[in-house]
Amino acid sequence: MDKQTEQKRAAGEYAASLIEDGMVVGLGTGSTVKFFIERLAARINQEGLDIVGVTTSRQTSSLAKGWGIKLKSVDEMPGIDITIDGADEVDVALNGIKGGGAALLFEKIVALNSSRNVWIIDESKYHPKLGTFPLPVEVVPYGSHQLLKRFADADLHPQFRRNADGLRLTTDAGNYIIDLQLTEITHPQALAYYLEQTIGVVEHGLFLQVADAVIIGGDDITIIERQA
């Protein structure tokens, strides 16, 4: 196991220790969350925890079901106690870019219905500013080529995300993703507002003031709480 994978494992397993009996738990998407789900399933089996999971993607649903975790949809539950999710990039204010796994829409819905959001990352994801990771924008297929041109005219350097076969990737909600290659996002709030006002955009991967805490895996676990 390489250093980055070991850090992901450490962060995911630590996050599993935060889960208490009777909780409704949001289950994020991605390689780091995989370690969390595996450790949570072990705790459920060993300690008899009564946990209900709310998933953010078909991929996570399949993984959680395979481990025997009881699942409900976000619309079946009055609320979610805590959501554990990964992030593709996190800045010092605990703002993040998410959506590398193409689950940003469902991840944001689950996050906004959660009392507490905790992100688990390896140290390579923690940066002074956002922008190193391409910013995903989920868009409806109809008119998506026009959106691509509009983003290009705004110097946002857009590209359709594609599958290995070269076809445009389709999200769980049936939409496309346009990735913006930005290098550095100087004004994330302004960019978020611009994207939210653009017709055809379903959701964007800027998660601003969403994470309550970030767990960074390493030789020693680092926990950073968002300042009010």
Side-chain angles (χ1 to χ4, degrees):
M1 190 178 289
D2 61 32
K3 180 180 179 182
Q4 184 179 31
T5 303
E6 178 58 34
Q7 289 182 353
K8 291 180 178 182
R9 182 197 63 77
E13 292 188 353
Y14 182 89
S17 71
L18 304 178
I19 306 306
E20 300 175 0
D21 187 44
M23 277 187 167
V24 177
V25 182
L27 305 176
T29 297
S31 56
T32 311
V33 172
K34 177 176 177 288
F35 291 109
F36 163 71
I37 290 174
E38 291 174 356
R39 179 57 188 150
L40 177 60
R43 286 196 61 206
I44 291 171
N45 291 331
Q46 293 164 6
E47 303 172 34
L49 299 181
D50 182 16
I51 298 297
V52 174
V54 176
T55 66
T56 54
S57 65
R58 293 174 187 164
Q59 177 189 29
T60 298
S61 294
S62 178
L63 178 64
K65 286 177 182 176
W67 284 103
I69 297 175
K70 182 168 55 178
L71 301 179
K72 296 284 187 180
S73 78
V74 67
D75 289 320
E76 293 178 284
M77 307 306 298
I80 300 167
D81 295 301
I82 186 171
T83 288
I84 307 295
D85 205 350
D88 298 299
E89 189 172 25
V90 180
D91 70 12
V92 294
L94 301 196
N95 294 315
I97 290 177
K98 292 170 49 56
L104 62 154
L105 174 60
F106 291 178
E107 287 174 336
K108 195 167 281 190
I109 290 171
V110 170
L112 295 180
N113 285 283
S114 300
S115 297
R116 182 169 173 79
N117 286 282
V118 177
W119 291 346
I120 47 179
I121 60 172
D122 63 84
E123 61 187 11
S124 73
K125 306 293 197 306
Y126 188 60
H127 299 142
K129 290 186 177 181
L130 300 177
T132 301
F133 192 88
L135 176 63
V137 181
E138 187 162 345
V139 303
V140 296
Y142 187 79
S144 58
H145 187 69
Q146 299 299 328
L147 271 179
L148 188 83
K149 292 198 306 185
R150 176 176 294 187
F151 292 155
D153 290 343
D155 293 324
L156 297 177
H157 310 288
Q159 292 180 349
F160 281 112
R161 190 180 301 182
R162 298 184 181 274
N163 295 314
D165 57 10
L167 297 176
R168 293 179 188 175
L169 180 145
T170 302
T171 69
D172 285 354
N175 299 313
Y176 294 154
I177 287 183
I178 295 176
D179 289 312
L180 307 181
Q181 319 287 328
L182 300 174
T183 307
E184 183 177 292
I185 299 175
T186 306
H187 303 291
Q189 293 282 2
L191 179 57
Y193 180 79
Y194 164 77
L195 293 171
E196 288 159 7
Q197 300 306 305
T198 301
I199 301 300
V201 170
V202 177
E203 192 51 83
H204 57 77
L206 285 168
F207 282 59
L208 308 179
Q209 298 184 334
V210 171
D212 297 293
V214 172
I215 299 170
I216 305 174
D219 293 335
D220 296 309
I221 294 291
T222 300
I223 303 172
I224 306 173
E225 298 277 348
R226 181 159 62 91
Q227 301 301 309

